[in-house]
Amino acid sequence: MNPQTIAFLFPLLALAFAILRYLVFKAIFDRSEYASETKTTFFKTMKDTGAYGEYLTAQKLAKLSGAHRLVANAYVPNGRGGTTEIDLLFIHETGIYVIESKNYSGWIFGKESDRYWTQQFPNGQKKRFLNPVLQNKGHINALKKLLSDIDENLIYSTIVFSHRCELKKVKLDSSAILL
């Protein structure tokens, strides 16, 4: 083949592989429990960083052994006339896992008792966000009221951070939190 032919074919092959990759990932997504639960589209999920993080977590949970059921974006009465949204509720034969998903990057700093934690990016920019431990505590309290006949020792707080971030100075006092 001459150099002009190769130069012409290379972008076409790259495009073909990109389309094929998209179709494969879309097919996997469309068959996922997360897609079934959320009734959202592949494209919307891929564009939304938070939803994409939830999807990745749900895919890992789906591979766990034992009887389980995933509920995504569960709205639970908060006892004050409104609702609280649980990112992922993983009901497993070993317990109920209330999962707060944080698809963040950068460095994460915070203490269990702080109202806000800090996300710091490599360029030095900082962003505060609601402490996910306290956020999940609110989810769990609402869930306990709703499921008052369930042993509260079977309900676990789980905070999932993306692999794109590093927990720098995160101090937890409670051993009941999975981070």
Side-chain angles (χ1 to χ4, degrees):
M1 260 190 227
N2 67 39
Q4 286 103 356
T5 305
I6 292 172
F8 175 75
L9 288 177
F10 186 74
L12 288 178
L13 286 172
L15 178 61
F17 281 121
I19 292 170
L20 181 61
R21 183 176 157 194
Y22 167 81
L23 292 173
V24 168
F25 284 132
K26 184 181 180 314
I28 292 168
F29 175 85
D30 290 345
R31 284 181 278 141
S32 73
E33 192 173 9
Y34 183 82
S36 172
E37 269 294 310
T38 61
K39 307 289 190 258
T40 189
T41 66
F42 172 76
F43 188 67
K44 273 186 176 179
T45 301
M46 296 304 121
K47 280 184 63 172
D48 182 322
T49 305
Y52 183 61
E54 291 172 13
Y55 166 68
L56 293 175
T57 300
Q59 287 299 90
K60 294 284 186 185
L61 293 171
K63 295 177 182 175
L64 294 176
S65 62
H68 55 77
R69 175 80 165 101
L70 178 75
V71 179
N73 305 319
Y75 288 88
V76 179
N78 64 9
R80 298 183 307 273
T83 58
T84 187
E85 181 185 2
I86 299 172
D87 289 341
L88 296 169
L89 191 59
F90 189 64
I91 304 162
H92 190 269
E93 61 190 34
T94 60
I96 299 172
Y97 298 84
V98 180
I99 302 170
E100 181 62 30
S101 175
K102 299 295 181 192
N103 191 11
Y104 291 171
S105 61
W107 297 320
I108 306 298
F109 302 90
K111 295 181 193 155
E112 184 176 339
S113 59
D114 292 343
R115 180 153 176 74
Y116 294 97
W117 285 13
T118 303
Q119 174 186 22
Q120 183 176 342
F121 300 96
N123 67 4
Q125 180 187 1
K126 294 180 179 179
K127 182 179 168 188
R128 288 178 8 143
F129 62 97
L130 187 61
N131 175 343
V133 175
L134 295 179
Q135 193 176 2
N136 225 22
K137 195 175 281 188
H139 299 328
I140 288 173
N141 288 339
L143 193 61
K144 284 179 182 177
K145 286 179 188 169
L146 187 67
L147 305 174
S148 57
D149 56 336
I150 299 289
D151 180 358
E152 67 181 52
N153 293 317
L154 294 175
I155 300 175
Y156 302 96
S157 178
T158 307
I159 317 297
V160 176
F161 280 93
S162 121
H163 69 280
R164 299 177 306 116
C165 73
E166 183 179 343
L167 304 181
K168 282 294 220 184
K169 290 184 180 175
V170 174
K171 184 174 182 322
L172 299 178
D173 301 317
S174 173
S175 62
I177 299 166
L178 305 172
L179 189 64

